[in-house]
Amino acid sequence: SKSLDPKSAKASAAAAAAANAAATRKQDAHKSSMAGLGSTSATVKVKVKLGNDMVALRLPSELTLDELKARLEEKLCGGGSEGAAAPQSRISQIMYHAPSGEAAPLSDDHDWTTALTVTNYKPVLTIVQ
């Protein structure tokens, strides 16, 4: 019996390369949109409310929303350094506060970019657990 058809191996490699290229393009597009918004700083000061507590974090401005959530988990929720198994995310929702006082959910990278823009790169976020 044959081990692997060379044509199917090439097709599998091409599919994997296309998936990696798509992920890279998505990240690059987010970073490009962030660069075009006039931020002159490589970092952004983010105020985060968790219950009755508020902390300020300085984070890279080019973070994606998923990276932001991971950083917030790490800083605010312990990040899973205790024990072998990673705990479930304790952040169910992140809200940002617009200058008008309205709170809006962050559901994707576009929302995060909008939050940075409307708050002049000084967002106030609320963590909903």
Side-chain angles (χ1 to χ4, degrees), residues 32-119:
S32 294
S33 70
M34 297 299 293
L37 292 174
S39 173
T40 57
S41 173
T43 62
V44 59
K45 183 177 180 182
V46 179
K47 291 182 181 177
V48 183
K49 295 178 183 179
L50 179 62
N52 292 328
D53 299 324
M54 181 181 276
V55 296
L57 303 172
R58 188 157 303 274
L59 301 170
S61 60
E62 70 276 358
L63 283 181
T64 64
L65 182 60
D66 287 339
E67 292 167 337
L68 172 68
K69 286 179 180 179
R71 291 282 186 98
L72 292 175
E73 281 285 333
E74 180 182 313
K75 298 282 186 187
L76 302 174
C77 301
S81 59
E82 310 104 29
Q88 283 287 65
S89 172
R90 290 175 43 195
I91 296 176
S92 63
Q93 180 68 56
I94 301 174
M95 306 288 286
Y96 80 93
H97 300 273
S100 65
E102 291 181 55
L106 294 178
S107 56
D108 58 26
D109 288 337
H110 182 265
D111 291 345
W112 174 229
T113 302
T114 300
L116 290 173
T117 304
V118 302
T119 61

